[in-house]
Tab-separated table of all heavy atoms in Angstrom:
chain	number	residue	atom	x	y	z
A	1298	VAL	N	71.139	135.843	147.553
A	1298	VAL	CA	71.801	136.071	148.835
A	1298	VAL	C	73.296	136.289	148.663
A	1298	VAL	O	73.906	137.142	149.323
A	1298	VAL	CB	71.533	134.884	149.789
A	1298	VAL	CG1	72.478	134.911	150.987
A	1298	VAL	CG2	70.084	134.901	150.261
A	1605	ASN	N	48.736	133.128	138.376
A	1605	ASN	CA	49.614	133.270	137.204
A	1605	ASN	C	48.817	133.689	135.976
A	1605	ASN	O	49.248	134.545	135.194
A	1605	ASN	CB	50.340	131.954	136.911
A	1605	ASN	CG	51.453	131.659	137.900
A	1605	ASN	OD1	52.005	132.561	138.517
A	1605	ASN	ND2	51.795	130.383	138.052
A	1618	GLU	N	56.443	133.256	136.441
A	1618	GLU	CA	55.492	132.171	136.623
A	1618	GLU	C	55.800	131.473	137.942
A	1618	GLU	O	56.855	130.840	138.093
A	1618	GLU	CB	55.612	131.176	135.462
A	1618	GLU	CG	54.547	130.118	135.447
A	1618	GLU	CD	53.331	130.514	134.620
A	1618	GLU	OE1	53.305	131.642	134.104
A	1618	GLU	OE2	52.418	129.683	134.493
A	1791	ARG	N	39.774	163.660	184.347
A	1791	ARG	CA	39.200	164.522	183.311
A	1791	ARG	C	38.817	163.704	182.078
A	1791	ARG	O	37.777	163.936	181.462
A	1791	ARG	CB	40.213	165.629	182.930
A	1791	ARG	CG	39.683	166.594	181.875
A	1791	ARG	CD	38.381	167.233	182.331
A	1791	ARG	NE	37.757	168.026	181.269
A	1791	ARG	CZ	36.461	168.260	181.205
A	1791	ARG	NH1	35.642	167.766	182.135
A	1791	ARG	NH2	35.965	168.989	180.225
A	1890	ARG	N	44.219	145.140	139.065
A	1890	ARG	CA	44.549	143.734	138.818
A	1890	ARG	C	45.532	143.229	139.890
A	1890	ARG	O	45.396	142.127	140.413
A	1890	ARG	CB	45.172	143.566	137.430
A	1890	ARG	CG	45.462	142.094	137.061
A	1890	ARG	CD	46.266	141.989	135.774
A	1890	ARG	NE	45.614	142.652	134.663
A	1890	ARG	CZ	44.655	142.100	133.922
A	1890	ARG	NH1	44.251	140.870	134.181
A	1890	ARG	NH2	44.113	142.781	132.920
Side-chain angles (χ1 to χ4, degrees):
V1298 166
N1605 286 335
E1618 188 91 357
R1791 181 56 188 154
R1890 184 189 304 277

